[in-house]
Every structure is written in C-alpha cells, then in structure tokens.
Amino acid sequence: QVQLVESGGGLVQAGGSLRLSCVVSGNIFSINAMGWFRQAPGKQRELVAAITTGGATKYTDSVKGRFTISRANAKNTVALQMNSLNPEDTAVYYCAAAVLNEYAYWGQGTQVTVSS
C-alpha cells in the first residue's frame, strides 16, 4: 500500500504562483512514476505532469513552461511548482503514484483557485 498526502493549494490571483507538495509513504519501492492530475468542474480528470523514478518528466501542453514537477527522494516528496497561473488552471489537484505504469494510488486532492 502507498499513502499520499497533498498540501499547498489555495486561492491566488491570475499571474501568481503556488507550490503543491505530495508526501509519499508506505511501499514506495513499488512506485515507478508519480503524477499530478487535476479535475475542474464538469471536466474529465487530466494528467498535468509526471515524473519517473529515472527523473524523466512530461507535461500537458497547456502547462509547459509554467509548471515544474520535481522530486525530493530523501523526503519522499513530489512537488508541483505552478507559475503564471490563470483561471483555467482552477481545479482540484491530485497526486498519484503509478505501479507497473498504472496510477493505482491517489491522494485526497487539494483545491487550487485562480481569480481573474
């Protein structure tokens, strides 16, 4: 089992920044990738950014150049630095852990609201 706890969401004005953190515990050796997803009201959940155990990263097109995913292995933490936020980034953000390339474990979610 893997447990994930997110923090760092909140309300920010357009153009501002937020940093989300996800602390991972449990059977972390089974994890081969970590991801940040988001779900806005009335929309499907989408993968925003992901990072593998090897350090490879990928981003959805709408956040490239603005968001950065990073990992601090010693602290079992995955972070998402979000800059130049706009109202379209408003959503509940979820941290997730992949085992055998399938996202199997999820955090409780943290709300990010960007005001115009």
Side-chain angles (χ1 to χ4, degrees):
Q1 288 289 328
V2 175
Q3 294 80 44
L4 308 169
V5 178
E6 303 109 332
S7 62
L11 173 64
V12 65
Q13 288 188 331
S17 299
L18 281 175
R19 184 177 179 87
L20 305 182
S21 292
C22 175
V23 177
V24 188
S25 61
N27 187 16
I28 62 174
F29 299 103
S30 65
I31 299 170
N32 62 282
M34 294 292 301
W36 283 96
F37 290 75
R38 67 185 179 187
Q39 187 166 20
K43 295 187 177 181
Q44 289 188 331
R45 185 163 51 189
E46 66 169 341
L47 177 63
V48 175
I51 186 166
T52 69
T53 51
T57 59
K58 66 177 181 181
Y59 300 89
T60 191
D61 286 345
S62 63
V63 308
K64 286 180 180 177
R66 300 189 298 123
F67 290 12
T68 303
I69 189 170
S70 61
R71 194 180 59 204
N73 287 338
K75 297 182 179 180
N76 292 339
T77 301
V78 176
L80 185 68
Q81 178 67 40
M82 305 185 294
N83 299 327
S84 301
L85 286 161
N86 59 62
E88 290 70 40
D89 295 316
T90 295
V92 178
Y93 284 70
Y94 298 90
C95 177
V99 176
L100 298 177
N101 296 318
E102 289 193 10
Y103 286 98
Y105 300 98
W106 297 83
Q108 79 283 2
T110 185
Q111 177 70 46
V112 171
T113 302
V114 184
S115 63
S116 57

